[in-house]
Amino acid sequence: MTARRGRTLLVVTVAAVVLVALGLALRPTDRPGSVAVGSTGVASPTPAPTDGPSVIVPGRPGESAVARPAAEVRDTASPSYNSLDVWFVRMMIPHHEQALAMAELAEGRAASPQIRAVADRIRGAQRPEIGMMRGWLSARGLPAEVPGHDHGAMRGMQSPEAIRRLTDARGAEFDRLFVQMMTAHHQGAVTMATDLLKVGVDQQLNEFANSVATEQSVEINRMRDLVKPPA
């Protein structure tokens, strides 16, 4: 091989290597953070992968655990509650229902507009609460009724005879009986609610019981102020 042919071969080889290197440098890549040119001609960063950490999911009996993306795993556990939560809801529904029945009597019987206002607030608060409690039971496939239970034995519940007296009363006599009976009724609800706060485990019911205890204690004080004799 002559020196001239050798030099020619070297030049061709170097040119080939340069072309290959240039082609590799210009080839699009899928690496995170690479730059892509959109249809508008404006360069924009290629989004980095968004895969989160994997979660180990136990397999069924005889099967191995598997790793799944966190986004595919959902919390399917049922809300936690105990038998005392259920008992409280089942008892508080008829308790609220009697309070509503008593409050309904104020329209057309109460002499004091303040007493009628208290009755309106009771209706406005306790009717939606009954719906919430029925919904709580329904969401868990639980019936609201307790066959054979004497609801009249619950704290604060008024006897049928007392309800008849309230129904027959008018004016100042109605106001006096209403405050007396509804105060006792509210005190029973406050006791039931504070008892649940000691033993219940459902968070929603815990918040509800705390609300009942607080709001009905305020109403007790308000009703007592309405019937205080003038100084």
Side-chain angles (χ1 to χ4, degrees), residues 123-188:
R123 291 198 302 270
Q126 298 200 22
R127 186 173 285 114
E129 289 174 351
I130 290 173
M132 181 278 291
M133 289 186 285
R134 289 191 179 277
W136 188 92
L137 291 170
S138 177
R140 290 155 181 78
L142 302 170
E145 291 72 25
V146 184
H149 179 74
D150 179 14
H151 294 308
M154 290 189 295
R155 295 177 184 270
M157 288 291 280
Q158 301 298 300
S159 68
E161 180 183 353
I163 296 295
R164 282 193 297 270
R165 289 200 306 271
L166 184 65
T167 303
D168 294 339
R170 297 291 189 280
E173 177 63 11
F174 177 89
D175 294 350
R176 184 186 66 81
L177 283 174
F178 180 85
V179 170
Q180 174 187 322
M181 293 168 60
M182 192 63 81
T183 296
H185 199 272
H186 275 18
Q187 287 172 333

Side-chain angles (χ1 to χ4, degrees), residues 12-182:
V12 171
T13 301
V14 170
V17 171
V18 170
L19 288 175
V20 171
L22 183 61
L24 290 174
L26 296 177
R27 186 181 61 183
T29 67
D30 296 327
R31 292 192 304 271
S34 62
V35 175
V37 178
S39 58
T40 61
V42 179
S44 58
T46 300
T50 57
D51 293 339
S54 297
V55 176
I56 303 300
V57 179
R60 291 177 295 182
E63 296 182 353
S64 301
V66 296
R68 295 178 57 190
E72 295 181 7
V73 179
R74 297 289 183 269
D75 182 9
T76 58
S78 300
S80 61
Y81 60 91
N82 60 23
S83 60
L84 298 172
D85 289 318
V86 177
W87 184 256
F88 169 80
V89 175
R90 286 174 171 166
M91 296 302 102
M92 192 58 79
I93 289 174
H95 202 276
H96 268 33
E97 288 174 339
Q98 188 181 70
L100 286 181
M102 293 166 61
E104 293 288 349
L105 295 175
E107 187 67 29
R109 291 178 173 82
S112 169
Q114 289 87 0
I115 293 293
R116 290 195 296 272
V118 169
D120 287 343
R121 280 192 291 269
I122 291 171
R123 291 198 302 270
Q126 298 200 22
R127 186 173 285 114
E129 289 174 351
I130 290 173
M132 181 278 291
M133 289 186 285
R134 289 191 179 277
W136 188 92
L137 291 170
S138 177
R140 290 155 181 78
L142 302 170
E145 291 72 25
V146 184
H149 179 74
D150 179 14
H151 294 308
M154 290 189 295
R155 295 177 184 270
M157 288 291 280
Q158 301 298 300
S159 68
E161 180 183 353
I163 296 295
R164 282 193 297 270
R165 289 200 306 271
L166 184 65
T167 303
D168 294 339
R170 297 291 189 280
E173 177 63 11
F174 177 89
D175 294 350
R176 184 186 66 81
L177 283 174
F178 180 85
V179 170
Q180 174 187 322
M181 293 168 60
M182 192 63 81

